[in-house]
Amino acid sequence: MTEGSTAKLRVDKWLWAARFFKTRSLAKAAIEGGKVQLEGQRVKVSREISVGDQLRIRQGWDERDIIVMALSDQRRGAPEAQALYLETGESIARREQSAQARKLAGGMIGRPAKKPDKRARRQIHRFQNLNDE
């Protein structure tokens, strides 16, 4: 681990080492897609972060606000990766509340009950082609 306030590390490498993403290319794609923000601003893949920076990371349904506590450019076990950041209390509460809301919504969110038949597929394609033009 790299310690100290003067040390810096690329944000994509840190997200991979902190186990937010399985590969650096997935971390890069998330950053380029605007799913990672530093101090409320979109970041570039090569942006360097340091200890004390605040990141907002969106993954699927969840959005986490974290504070960088340490830097590491090596991917290690989960307990060591969790020591690299601290998730804010508001972020934890917000994630738990949204998880509870999704659980209560039940079948409303997710897959349809059945696959579309031939007629429904044609309607879907017709609708998509209408919007493409």
Side-chain angles (χ1 to χ4, degrees):
M1 280 190 202
T2 308
E3 298 290 331
S5 60
T6 59
K8 293 189 180 249
L9 187 67
R10 286 174 56 118
V11 69
D12 64 330
K13 204 169 203 179
W14 185 85
L15 288 169
W16 167 75
R19 293 183 165 264
F20 283 104
F21 298 98
K22 198 169 189 174
T23 63
R24 280 186 62 191
S25 61
L26 288 175
K28 179 184 174 205
I31 294 167
E32 290 173 344
K35 296 185 182 352
V36 178
Q37 295 179 348
L38 175 68
E39 309 292 341
Q41 301 288 326
R42 283 182 70 163
V43 295
K44 291 186 177 179
V45 177
S46 62
R47 173 70 191 260
E48 292 186 336
I49 61 171
S50 58
V51 175
D53 287 345
Q54 187 167 0
L55 293 172
R56 176 170 282 178
I57 304 165
R58 269 188 285 139
Q59 288 180 301
W61 300 101
D62 295 332
E63 187 171 288
R64 299 173 189 248
D65 291 332
I66 61 164
I67 300 169
V68 178
M69 302 302 288
L71 300 177
S72 176
D73 59 353
Q74 293 180 343
R75 189 174 172 97
R76 298 186 188 254
E80 293 177 38
Q82 289 174 346
L84 297 178
Y85 62 91
L86 177 68
E87 188 172 2
T88 62
E90 301 94 30
S91 174
I92 294 170
R94 189 175 57 235
R95 279 192 311 114
E96 288 174 353
Q97 183 179 7
S98 66
Q100 185 67 23
R102 285 194 306 271
K103 190 180 285 187
L104 290 175
M108 299 181 83
I109 299 174
R111 293 185 164 165
K114 62 176 188 163
K115 290 169 108 176
D117 59 1
K118 188 173 185 176
R119 180 173 176 255
R121 276 196 310 275
R122 286 181 177 167
Q123 289 175 337
I124 291 168
H125 291 303
R126 205 172 302 128
F127 179 75
Q128 288 175 337
N129 291 336
L130 195 81
N131 287 334
D132 288 342
E133 295 173 358

